[in-house]
Amino acid sequence: KRQWEEYEKKLAEVIAKNKENERKYVETKKLLDEGVIAFKQKNNKLALVKFNEALSVDDYWVQHVPLLTNKVLTLLQLGVESYNLGIRTNKRSLTAAHGYFKEAVDCVEKIAILLEQNKDSEEPEIQKLISDYHYQNLRNRGESYRLFSLTDPLQIPTAISALESYIAVETNKDLKE
């Protein structure tokens, strides 16, 4: 009887955890979708809010990698908009651009860490995800540091190194030139 009670207790815990994981997944997916829609509509500030909200829902790394990747692209867009405005009008926009580029760099570095920490997974789907996002993150890392170096010239050596790392794995000759 005691074993049965322990079994039922464990089963209830597993069911509750599965329900919570499902809730987190649904909420994260909804916020991601809303962020992507906002990004496509060039509403980058709303997209950034949605991606940040989605990142706060769950800490499962498999969901964080695509969320952070979308966040990087949004930050780069916001940074470019602010940079272009700043070189024409005011220093405050350049400061904002610097902040966006710095946050994008922080995100690509976090993605690299998440991918590295999980590279030994034996699951084929996870290996494909890691491979796809590793390539995409190398590209985004190069671009993030390149843009960051526009507002922080001390980042130029890191930008060059990041771009060389990306070029080393790029197979499209047109993109290498």
Side-chain angles (χ1 to χ4, degrees), residues 62-161:
V62 171
Q63 291 183 345
H64 272 225
V65 170
L67 285 167
L68 286 167
T69 299
N70 282 300
K71 182 176 176 178
V72 167
L73 297 175
T74 304
L75 288 164
L76 294 178
Q77 286 291 323
L78 286 165
V80 167
E81 290 168 9
S82 295
Y83 182 81
N84 288 340
L85 181 64
I87 58 174
R88 288 192 310 265
T89 60
N90 64 49
K91 186 169 174 58
R92 192 170 31 182
S93 292
L94 287 176
T95 302
H98 177 81
Y100 289 131
F101 296 148
K102 171 72 172 103
E103 191 173 352
V105 162
D106 292 345
C107 287
V108 294
E109 295 301 345
K110 185 172 184 178
I111 292 168
I113 290 167
L114 290 170
L115 295 174
E116 179 65 25
Q117 288 173 340
N118 294 283
K119 70 178 182 186
D120 295 330
S121 172
E122 295 180 13
E123 296 179 47
E125 314 83 48
I126 298 295
Q127 283 300 317
K128 175 147 179 35
L129 180 134
I130 289 171
S131 175
D132 292 348
Y133 278 100
H134 176 72
Y135 167 78
Q136 188 170 4
N137 198 52
L138 284 173
R139 185 179 64 219
N140 290 341
R141 186 173 183 268
E143 185 66 1
S144 296
Y145 273 104
R146 182 185 74 79
L147 292 169
F148 188 35
S149 71
L150 294 174
T151 61
D152 183 354
L154 295 175
Q155 299 301 320
I156 291 172
T158 308
I160 291 169
S161 174

